[in-house]
Amino acid sequence: MVRLLFGLGVAVVVFTIFSLVDCALFEKTRIRGVPRAVWIIVILLLPVIGGVLWFIIGRGRRSSGGARSMAPDDDPEFLGQLGRDAAQEERIRRLEQELADLDDDKPDSTDRRDGDKPGRTDA
């Protein structure tokens, strides 16, 4: 029986400390109900009940405003990036084609055979 009471006491202390640390480090804008200082007092004065109340009532959820996850095809920024990428790929393709056309128009001095090198005489 003593072991059970000791184990429960340790669990209560661990839960209370966890609740206090969570409350102290929780984002201020997401705390619901009363201010943070009041939540800390409630957790300290009512060890188990205060911690349970903190997790049920005081701890607010993330706002769905800016941190909402969405599929890539629903994200306007992602879709805009696709358009920019496609335009950039098209521009690169055109520039590569222009370079290839310039290379085709210019006579190539590297097509000579070894015997045709200037300055070499076959003696």
Side-chain angles (χ1 to χ4, degrees):
M1 184 69 177
V2 173
R3 283 191 221 177
L4 179 64
L5 289 176
F6 181 74
L8 287 174
V10 169
V12 166
V13 169
V14 168
F15 179 70
T16 302
I17 291 173
F18 180 75
S19 300
L20 278 171
V21 170
D22 186 60
C23 180
L25 298 178
F26 201 68
E27 210 175 299
K28 185 179 182 179
T29 59
R30 291 175 46 202
I31 295 176
R32 295 186 301 179
V34 294
R36 181 189 319 258
V38 176
W39 277 116
I40 291 175
I41 292 170
V42 168
I43 293 170
L44 286 173
L45 292 178
L46 305 168
V48 175
I49 298 170
V52 170
L53 288 174
W54 161 249
F55 284 108
I56 292 174
I57 297 172
R59 210 170 192 267
R61 295 182 181 174
R62 289 190 187 269
S63 63
S64 62
R68 193 183 89 176
S69 65
M70 61 177 72
D73 57 347
D74 292 338
D75 186 5
E77 184 178 325
F78 177 77
L79 294 174
Q81 181 66 33
L82 286 179
R84 287 189 296 272
D85 289 348
Q88 186 175 11
E89 289 292 326
E90 176 62 27
R91 182 171 176 251
I92 290 172
R93 190 192 61 72
R94 275 187 283 128
L95 289 172
E96 287 175 344
Q97 184 63 41
E98 287 177 20
L99 284 173
D101 291 345
L102 286 175
D103 284 344
D104 291 343
D105 294 343
K106 160 172 102 168
D108 195 6
S109 62
T110 59
D111 284 344
R112 295 182 189 152
R113 287 178 273 149
D114 287 339
D116 295 341
K117 285 187 180 177
R120 181 174 176 194
T121 58
D122 293 332

